[in-house]
Amino acid sequence: MDLIANLNPTSSAQWVFLSFLVILTYITILKFNFSHQFTLILKSSYSKKFSNQYLRDETNSKHKLHLIPVFILSFSLFLSFQDLSLILFVKSIFWISLYLVIKYFILLFLGKIFEKTYLYEEIIFQSFLYEKVVGVILFPLTIFLFYGSIQADFMFKFITIFLSLSLLYKWLRILYLSFFNSSLSKAHIIIYLCTFEIIPIMIITKNFC
């Protein structure tokens, strides 16, 4: 344990190592039990064909591939890097989880209100696809941030740029898909992006940067 902690002075806390161990174990279990779905969801991030296939499979399956916890834990570790604190880490987990839960239930509620449950299931899928895929990629990047030989400042900026570009890609993808769906109001999509995507990101940026 001491050897691992000494790899990087900024990551000496044991809870960081244990958090990475928990995430790695969780991903390994998911990869072993949901190998096909795991590969399919990664392909869904850039292909509408695989996106539709995954959505159909997930709808008809009793067992779901839950990748959101990987994003929550990895992103919380990233946010805690510059001010390494277990309290900050726990707070980050709580607020990120609360935001995602609220967003999920509001979208679910809107689907019931407008009697377009299936349509809003696709919106929910596309909305959370970013977190699922980015979480898998963010995990090894965060390991490099804490324990890698690459300069920490460079790695932190690299991850920040990666997250920003991924987020921009998510917004553009949702807008792109909405323009090819006549059942979906373009105004509603723009309101959704502003309310549930852009404003929360601005709040996070203001509090952590």
Side-chain angles (χ1 to χ4, degrees):
M1 184 71 72
D2 291 337
L3 176 62
I4 294 172
N6 288 330
L7 289 176
N8 191 328
T10 62
S11 56
S12 58
Q14 293 184 357
W15 62 265
V16 174
F17 173 73
L18 292 175
S19 298
F20 280 123
L21 189 60
V22 169
I23 299 172
L24 179 60
T25 303
Y26 184 72
I27 292 176
T28 303
I29 293 172
L30 290 181
K31 187 68 172 66
F32 179 78
N33 291 291
F34 304 94
S35 180
H36 174 68
Q37 288 176 282
F38 198 95
T39 303
L40 198 59
I41 197 170
L42 295 180
K43 293 180 179 180
S44 298
S45 62
Y46 60 83
S47 171
K48 176 65 175 174
K49 171 187 173 182
F50 291 116
S51 177
N52 290 336
Q53 182 181 345
Y54 180 85
L55 185 58
R56 286 195 302 270
D57 291 349
E58 187 181 55
T59 303
N60 297 326
S61 176
K62 295 181 180 179
H63 305 287
K64 309 295 183 181
L65 177 62
H66 298 290
L67 281 172
I68 292 295
V70 177
F71 171 79
I72 294 173
L73 292 174
S74 299
F75 190 46
S76 296
L77 283 167
F78 170 71
L79 293 177
S80 305
F81 177 74
Q82 291 186 321
D83 183 17
L84 203 58
S85 165
L86 180 58
I87 295 176
L88 176 60
F89 177 61
V90 173
K91 284 183 177 180
S92 299
I93 291 176
F94 172 77
W95 288 112
I96 295 170
S97 302
L98 182 63
Y99 159 67
L100 293 175
V101 168
I102 291 174
K103 183 171 74 168
Y104 173 79
F105 280 108
I106 288 179
L107 289 174
L108 207 62
F109 176 72
L110 291 175
K112 298 288 186 181
I113 291 295
F114 294 110
E115 297 181 349
K116 294 182 178 180
T117 303
Y118 177 79
L119 183 60
Y120 274 82
E121 284 179 354
E122 183 176 358
I123 295 175
I124 291 172
F125 169 74
Q126 295 297 338
S127 176
F128 285 91
L129 179 62
Y130 164 84
E131 285 82 6
K132 293 176 180 178
V133 175
V134 167
V136 175
I137 302 172
L138 182 61
F139 170 63
L141 292 178
T142 311
I143 291 179
F144 275 107
L145 176 64
F146 279 87
Y147 300 118
S149 58
I150 303 175
Q151 189 176 9
D153 288 341
F154 170 80
M155 201 63 202
F156 188 86
K157 291 177 182 178
F158 177 82
I159 295 176
T160 302
I161 293 172
F162 163 72
L163 291 173
S164 301
L165 291 177
S166 300
L167 190 59
L168 179 62
Y169 172 75
K170 172 189 178 180
W171 295 344
L172 292 175
R173 179 180 171 84
I174 291 176
L175 283 173
Y176 173 79
L177 294 175
S178 69
F179 279 105
F180 289 92
N181 193 328
S182 58
S183 302
L184 199 59
S185 170
K186 311 303 180 291
H188 288 171
I189 287 296
I190 294 174
I191 292 173
Y192 158 76
L193 288 174
C194 292
T195 305
F196 296 105
E197 301 289 343
I198 298 176
I199 292 178
I201 292 301
M202 291 174 63
I203 294 173
I204 291 175
T205 303
K206 181 179 179 181
N207 291 332
F208 286 93
C209 297

